[in-house]
Amino acid sequence: MGTIMPACLKLTCQPQILQRHRRSAACRQQLMISCAAGERRWVAVSAAPPAATRRFSAPRQQPSSDRDHPMDHSRNAHFDNALRAGRLDDALAVLQEAAAAGGITPIPLLEPHRNRALIQACFARNSPDKALAYLQLLHPRIAPWSAVMKEANKRRDLPTLLRVLAAREATGLSLDHRTTTSAIRGLSAAGKAQDAMAIFCRAWERRECRTVEVVNAAISACASQGSWQAAQEIVAVMDEEGIWPDSITFNALINVAGAAGLMDEAVRLYDELKAARLSPTPFTYATLFTAAAKTGYGDISWLLKTFDEMIASHVEPNNWVVSALYSAASHMHCTPGQQDRLFAVLALLRSYGPANDTVYSSLLTFIQRQGIQERAVDVWAAVKQDGVKPTPHILSALFAACPPEASSALVEVALEAADEMQALWISAVRRAAPKPHYERDMLVAYNALLHFLGSIGKLQRTLAFYSSMRRRGPTPDVVTYNTLISSTAARGNVRDAMLFFSDMVDADIEPTQRTAGALLNCYAKARDPTSARRVFEGMQLLGVKPNLEMYTSLVDACVAAGGKDTEMAFELVDEMRRQGLAPSVVTYGCLLAACEKQGDVSRAFKLYQQACKEGVVPSDQMHDMLINMCTEAQRLDDAVDLVKRLARTSLVSHPSGQGAAGQASSGQAAAAAAAAAGPGATAAATGAGSSGAASVSSGGLHEHTLNSLIRALCSKNVDRALRLLSLLQTMGLRASKSTYLSLITGCAKASRSTVAYDLYRSLRSQAMDADSASASALIVSLCQANQLDVAETVYNDMLACAWRRELEGAPGPQARRGGLSNHAQLPDEDALAALVQAFATSSDLRSAAKYYKQLRRVGKVGLAAVAVSQRRMWEALIENNCRQHRVKQALQVFDDWKAARDDWLAAQQQHLPNNDRHRNRPVAAAAASSAAAAAAARYPKLSSVTLAFLEACCRSEPEHEWRIYDVCAVMRQQRELKDQAGLARPQKQSHHVRPA
């Protein structure tokens, strides 16, 4: 019957029996099993002893009254006391006495609840022999065979199960549907699906065993090996017998379909179950969601719809259903709204009672894969509220969900969980030696913790936990040492990496290829190719065969070192090819980085073309490096041509614009596109039509590449950048935040304020905020275009976003105190100066004063820079205040300008050449004269018209008449500096005189 019923377990079915039940030839062939070994085994078990040797005669009539029952009140009391005290021998002695008193009367000695308590006590105290002894005291026809077998299945006690089967067959009893079901389930749970099918085929010859329960157990046995064909054959046999499936049958078939990777069949079975008017159970949905998790089913809408159907059919979710739901959702891409719905499922489950550790482990895994690690803090709070004991699985999932850029709150939660985990382990060690499976699971949790601590740079905590593992356990394994070496390698800490490797060798743990790769990566970070080469050769002496990762890390070390070692990287790739290892996309990325260091664009395009011909799908980083090289070499046309050809290839391969479908076969047109964009473009025309060419495999690649090129073009040619943005949107791809920011900045600097504001609105519509540079450039452009209302809107948006981020990042008591921090993303001083100038020019001095007040808060350095770059702002503010007879405010602005000018002069004096005695005096004098001339040319100044206007206003106001002298002093000083700038010339040094 399929792959799980081989010839070694064959039983011979009599043809007349099959004919008697009117089976077809196909069904008869399905149920035939033949194997000499199997026959010997099962015949030995099933051969009934002769009638003369049986211990029991035919059943007789049971006693007519309770007084005749051998287990009277006194014996029951003695039995209960012995069982309560755990004295199984005394309890069996009471039963033996009762059996002897009852003779050969086939009556049960115990009531159902006492019978169940005795069997459970025997298995709980690891004494299944006592349960077998109890069975021997009873008549075979009334002995609780199935109850003992069921308890053995719960304990996964296969030897006891087989002994019960043998003992039952030795009494001459045939298999009934209960013992058959228990036997099949026990054997399949122990991984012996073939033996389970042999039991099924043997029992199917008896009519009383042809029940839906037996069929369900047989179908469930097929799930252990994922044999969908065998399950279908069992269903065919069931149909031949006219047995109607129930919901358990469908559940078992869904389980088999999931194990076989046939999610479409699982969904079809679920629809058939509903069409058959059978009620789905929690097991149905748990099995269906588990199948979705096993097969990586990616339809999140179907998953949520199915869960809603479960709630609508009044099926209460349990821990198994919800954990399977999260496991399935972790393989799917969820929108924020769908993520919120999945978190609402946890709230629904907790309304029925606390969730268990499996649910929280699955939820933390879902959080990790969805990239929403900050929500792990709330999940851990729920774990504490529900009183769930942290198991190794929860701890492993929590540490794995913590990214390197985790927030301080998440790091605090992880460290708290780490201390709690260590306390749990120490407590377990003190009680007794931990069980192997517990130690194994705890070691996985410790390894996840070490990886997290290494990723956030907490070396001291990492060393503390590592030292604790060496002293008290769990004993570090190869994964532990590889994790530690990789953590230190990420920061180029060669010393600690070699110490961990030394400990690994001392612990008699053989290094693996991953160990070698981590060490080589460490030396690559340290830019030490010589030591990396020694490690590479030493690993071969230890028996570690070089693989692709090791060669790539060594190539990376050579490229990172630069200089003459860069050429060695290309030689290593040739050596790798001679060893039969093909370069990967990472290897080619390292080689392109070497070309980028050398500035060799032609060689880079040749490598790109070679990679595509070998079937290596180029990565986003490879395209970025090519575009960057073309940009730095002033070959933007080549980069644009490359991206356009890639885009056309994507549109041809995916007309709907969904390039992210992951069709790997589209990779070869990229080679033609790259060759056409690079040097020798004519040769690419022939490659463009070749069917063996490799192309881009996903729309994400085009999206990333187009974004990179758009950003590169923003500073060169805004019109071409906008056209590429239109192409990107036509393809159904999305512009990144950094692309929008670059476009806003580029359009603003090109005086295209309307386009820049449209891009800003698109950015905000996607729930993304602008940064300080782009918003400042936009405000300046809008002010220059006299769009003051729009400029104020942008400024207010930036202020609101800064406050929101400040409140989100600060703790509760601190969120309401003080103003914005110095790191807030606010418009810079140029944007504020542009607002002040625009409102002052339009005679709106109230708004101008508001923004001027903000400008004064930027500090001395910012005002000093504005004193030079924003001269017109000072003049407009002074003149318009004077026009509205606000001489006091105009003089305040004048004083601020003088203070900013003095700060600028002080900063310039610090950068003038130092004429010490150790330098050539004529050269120093010439340098000082040149610097003074340049400083005079850039000296902060106000126009003579503005100063004259301010002087006239001061004369008209008696209270400010004394300030005339300050204004006139500035006017004289500016005239002197102007004359000095015209006269200052560097003195030419004579070539006839040798310097002293």
Side-chain angles (χ1 to χ4, degrees):
M1 186 174 298
T3 58
I4 63 174
M5 296 173 62
C8 63
L9 291 173
K10 201 166 184 184
L11 291 174
T12 305
C13 301
Q14 299 297 328
Q16 59 269 23
I17 297 178
L18 298 176
Q19 292 175 3
R20 184 173 62 222
H21 296 298
R22 298 189 301 276
R23 296 210 180 102
S24 64
C27 296
R28 187 161 62 250
Q29 184 178 3
Q30 293 165 1
L31 290 176
M32 294 286 286
I33 305 176
S34 64
C35 171
E39 286 180 5
R40 284 195 300 271
R41 185 192 326 170
W42 288 107
V43 169
V45 172
S46 62
T53 62
R54 293 182 183 177
R55 292 180 51 201
F56 300 97
S57 59
R60 300 193 325 182
Q61 190 175 2
Q62 298 184 6
S64 58
S65 65
D66 292 342
R67 290 179 303 174
D68 298 332
H69 197 285
M71 285 294 290
D72 53 15
H73 180 74
S74 174
R75 288 194 177 106
N76 279 331
H78 283 85
F79 174 82
D80 292 341
N81 291 334
L83 190 62
R84 198 175 297 114
R87 302 192 303 272
L88 297 179
D89 292 333
D90 294 347
L92 287 176
V94 173
L95 294 177
Q96 289 174 355
E97 182 183 350
I104 60 174
T105 305
I107 59 174
L109 295 178
L110 295 176
E111 297 175 355
H113 68 281
R114 288 191 175 94
N115 179 76
R116 184 168 55 253
L118 175 61
I119 295 173
Q120 291 176 353
C122 292
F123 281 92
R125 296 184 177 275
N126 295 322
S127 300
D129 294 339
K130 301 292 191 301
L132 291 173
Y134 168 60
L135 293 176
Q136 298 295 329
L137 297 175
L138 303 175
H139 192 280
R141 297 188 181 278
I142 62 173
W145 304 101
S146 60
V148 177
M149 295 172 67
K150 184 178 180 181
E151 195 66 29
N153 289 340
K154 287 182 180 179
R155 311 280 176 169
R156 299 292 179 92
D157 190 352
L158 182 62
T160 301
L161 176 68
L162 296 177
R163 289 171 61 190
V164 173
L165 277 175
R168 191 179 189 281
E169 298 259 355
T171 61
L173 293 178
S174 301
L175 291 171
D176 58 8
H177 72 280
R178 289 190 179 87
T179 54
T180 301
T181 303
S182 297
I184 293 174
R185 287 176 177 170
L187 290 168
S188 62
K192 297 183 176 295
Q194 296 173 346
D195 294 350
M197 288 296 101
I199 287 282
F200 170 71
C201 292
R202 185 167 176 270
W204 195 257
E205 298 302 325
R206 301 183 59 82
R207 178 172 290 276
E208 60 268 21
C209 292
R210 298 174 193 159
T211 63
V212 68
E213 291 84 3
V214 174
V215 171
N216 292 342
I219 294 175
S220 298
C222 299
S224 61
Q225 293 189 355
S227 180
W228 176 250
Q229 181 182 358
Q232 291 296 98
E233 293 171 357
I234 294 174
V235 170
V237 173
M238 182 180 66
D239 292 341
E240 286 287 334
E241 291 296 325
I243 299 175
W244 288 94
D246 56 7
S247 59
I248 300 176
T249 309
F250 282 100
N251 295 345
L253 287 170
I254 292 172
N255 192 19
V256 178
L262 303 173
M263 190 59 200
D264 293 337
E265 293 292 337
V267 175
R268 180 185 60 81
L269 288 167
Y270 171 67
D271 294 336
E272 287 185 4
L273 183 146
K274 294 187 295 183
R277 298 183 180 275
L278 294 174
S279 299
T281 63
F283 186 86
T284 306
Y285 293 101
T287 307
L288 189 61
F289 296 154
T290 302
K294 288 181 179 179
T295 58
Y297 195 59
D299 192 351
I300 183 63
S301 301
W302 170 86
L303 189 70
L304 293 173
K305 175 186 174 184
T306 305
F307 184 82
D308 292 340
E309 290 177 357
M310 182 189 77
I311 300 301
S313 59
H314 305 290
V315 177
E316 292 186 1
N318 56 22
N319 290 315
W320 188 15
V321 173
V322 176
S323 62
L325 176 71
Y326 287 138
S327 298
S330 63
H331 298 281
M332 306 175 182
H333 175 71
C334 303
T335 63
Q338 292 166 340
Q339 292 170 0
D340 292 338
R341 289 187 62 187
L342 289 168
F343 277 99
V345 172
L346 177 64
L348 177 62
L349 176 65
R350 296 178 70 194
S351 66
Y352 293 101
N356 64 2
D357 61 320
T358 307
V359 173
Y360 285 113
S361 300
S362 302
L363 180 55
L364 288 170
T365 303
F366 167 76
I367 287 173
Q368 174 202 359
R369 294 179 177 174
Q370 294 295 320
I372 50 175
Q373 288 87 349
E374 293 306 319
R375 305 194 74 164
V377 178
D378 300 330
V379 173
W380 188 252
V383 170
K384 295 297 184 181
Q385 291 175 4
D386 288 350
V388 178
K389 180 181 178 181
T391 62
H393 298 290
I394 289 184
L395 295 168
S396 301
L398 175 65
F399 299 143
C402 297
E405 62 278 3
S407 65
S408 58
L410 184 55
V411 172
E412 183 179 353
V413 165
L415 294 178
E416 176 189 347
D419 295 335
E420 190 171 353
M421 177 183 70
Q422 192 166 17
L424 287 173
W425 173 255
I426 294 174
S427 175
V429 171
R430 287 175 179 173
R431 286 196 305 268
K435 294 183 179 180
H437 70 87
Y438 183 78
E439 183 175 3
R440 182 184 64 250
D441 295 341
M442 191 62 80
L443 178 60
V444 173
Y446 266 94
N447 290 339
L449 172 63
L450 294 177
H451 175 74
F452 166 64
L453 293 176
S455 66
I456 62 175
K458 290 189 174 294
L459 182 59
Q460 296 301 323
R461 295 295 297 266
T462 303
L463 293 175
F465 281 105
Y466 168 65
S467 300
S468 175
M469 292 175 68
R470 296 188 67 186
R471 290 196 312 269
R472 292 187 290 257
T475 306
D477 61 354
V478 64
V479 178
T480 308
Y481 287 107
N482 288 345
T483 302
L484 291 170
I485 295 173
S486 299
S487 299
T488 54
R491 289 166 175 80
N493 192 341
V494 177
R495 177 179 172 276
D496 289 336
M498 293 308 298
L499 286 176
F500 289 135
F501 179 68
S502 178
D503 291 343
M504 181 180 183
V505 174
D506 293 340
D508 292 332
I509 298 177
E510 295 184 1
T512 62
Q513 292 175 331
R514 187 180 182 86
T515 311
L519 285 174
L520 291 171
N521 185 33
C522 184
Y523 281 106
K525 298 290 184 183
R527 299 183 179 183
D528 189 356
T530 305
S531 299
R533 187 73 185 189
R534 286 200 299 267
V535 170
F536 183 83
E537 295 171 354
M539 285 295 175
Q540 296 183 59
L541 296 177
L542 292 175
V544 179
K545 184 178 179 180
N547 64 352
L548 179 60
E549 180 185 358
M550 293 173 60
Y551 270 109
T552 302
S553 298
L554 189 56
V555 170
D556 188 23
C558 296
V559 174
K564 62 180 181 180
D565 295 316
T566 305
E567 200 61 33
M568 189 186 301
F570 295 93
E571 298 174 1
L572 283 171
V573 173
D574 295 335
E575 178 184 338
M576 182 172 61
R577 293 181 189 276
R578 289 193 295 269
Q579 296 295 330
L581 297 173
S584 66
V585 63
V586 181
T587 312
Y588 275 110
C590 294
L591 295 179
L592 283 181
C595 295
E596 188 176 17
K597 284 191 172 184
Q598 295 175 342
D600 194 344
V601 183
S602 301
R603 191 175 191 179
F605 271 105
K606 289 179 181 179
L607 284 171
Y608 182 88
Q609 185 179 12
Q610 183 180 4
C612 294
K613 286 182 178 179
E614 293 178 358
V616 177
V617 179
S619 65
D620 299 343
Q621 290 77 12
M622 292 175 64
H623 288 94
D624 281 345
M625 282 187 282
L626 281 173
I627 292 171
N628 291 334
M629 281 188 279
C630 291
T631 304
E632 293 175 1
Q634 300 299 319
R635 292 173 58 173
L636 278 178
D637 291 336
D638 290 339
V640 173
D641 191 30
L642 166 62
V643 173
K644 284 184 176 180
R645 289 178 182 272
L646 290 173
R648 293 191 192 103
T649 303
S650 176
L651 290 173
V652 171
S653 303
H654 310 282
S656 62
Q658 299 179 3
Q663 302 294 331
S665 62
S666 64
Q668 292 177 336
T682 55
T686 57
S690 63
S691 60
S695 148
V696 185
S697 64
S698 67
L701 182 148
H702 291 303
E703 180 177 297
H704 189 87
T705 306
L706 282 173
N707 278 281
S708 300
L709 184 56
I710 290 171
R711 292 194 296 270
L713 284 170
C714 284
S715 59
K716 304 286 184 180
N717 192 325
V718 176
D719 292 330
R720 297 187 74 177
L722 291 172
R723 286 197 295 270
L724 276 179
L725 175 66
S726 176
L727 173 64
L728 182 140
Q729 294 172 342
T730 303
M731 294 174 60
L733 305 178
R734 188 181 64 175
S736 65
K737 177 180 177 179
S738 57
T739 301
Y740 272 111
L741 298 180
S742 299
L743 281 168
I744 292 170
T745 305
C747 291
K749 291 182 178 179
S751 301
R752 308 204 33 194
S753 57
T754 304
V755 178
Y757 183 64
D758 291 340
L759 292 168
Y760 174 78
R761 290 199 305 174
S762 300
L763 179 75
R764 297 288 293 140
S765 66
Q766 299 176 42
M768 293 186 289
D769 301 333
D771 62 354
S772 177
S774 60
S776 300
L778 177 59
I779 291 173
V780 171
S781 178
L782 290 170
C783 290
Q784 291 173 352
N786 203 26
Q787 297 178 341
L788 300 184
D789 294 338
V790 181
E792 273 199 300
T793 301
V794 176
Y795 178 83
N796 293 331
D797 281 351
M798 291 296 296
L799 197 63
C801 293
W803 272 112
R804 188 187 70 245
R805 285 192 293 267
E806 196 81 9
L807 294 176
E808 291 175 353
Q814 300 178 4
R816 297 177 178 84
R817 294 203 300 262
L820 292 170
S821 65
N822 295 329
H823 303 287
Q825 291 287 332
L826 291 174
D828 58 16
E829 58 271 10
D830 289 333
L832 289 170
L835 285 167
V836 173
Q837 177 184 341
F839 281 108
T841 304
S842 62
S843 301
D844 187 356
L845 292 180
R846 183 175 181 180
S847 298
K850 179 180 71 172
Y851 292 110
Y852 181 70
K853 183 179 179 180
Q854 296 293 331
L855 179 62
R856 294 180 66 188
R857 294 179 178 175
V858 300
K860 293 183 178 181
V861 178
L863 281 176
V866 171
V868 178
S869 62
Q870 300 293 334
R871 169 183 168 181
R872 186 57 194 144
M873 184 268 295
W874 301 99
E875 294 174 349
L877 199 56
I878 292 172
E879 291 174 4
N880 282 278
N881 273 298
C882 290
R883 288 192 183 96
Q884 297 189 17
H885 306 288
R886 299 165 54 123
V887 182
K888 182 178 180 180
Q889 286 79 5
L891 289 171
Q892 179 64 49
V893 175
F894 176 70
D895 292 338
D896 291 341
W897 174 83
K898 285 198 305 179
R901 178 201 62 182
D902 295 340
D903 292 333
W904 184 87
L905 286 174
Q908 292 298 315
Q909 289 295 330
Q910 295 178 0
H911 298 290
L912 287 177
N914 186 15
N915 300 332
D916 56 12
R917 61 182 179 179
H918 300 289
R919 299 184 56 183
N920 189 342
R921 292 184 180 180
V923 175
S929 178
S930 176
R938 295 184 62 249
Y939 183 81
K941 59 181 73 72
L942 295 176
S943 68
S944 300
V945 175
T946 302
L947 292 173
F949 190 16
L950 181 59
E951 178 193 1
C953 292
C954 290
R955 291 182 186 278
S956 64
E957 297 283 346
E959 60 178 324
H960 302 300
E961 190 174 0
W962 62 277
R963 297 297 303 272
I964 295 173
Y965 301 102
D966 291 341
V967 178
C968 292
V970 171
M971 294 173 68
R972 284 194 303 271
Q973 189 178 16
Q974 289 189 170
R975 269 198 305 269
E976 291 174 358
L977 285 173
K978 183 177 180 181
D979 295 340
Q980 181 181 358
L983 296 175
R985 294 288 187 272
Q987 184 178 1
K988 181 179 179 181
Q989 182 181 2
S990 174
H991 62 277
H992 298 288
V993 180
R994 184 176 182 181

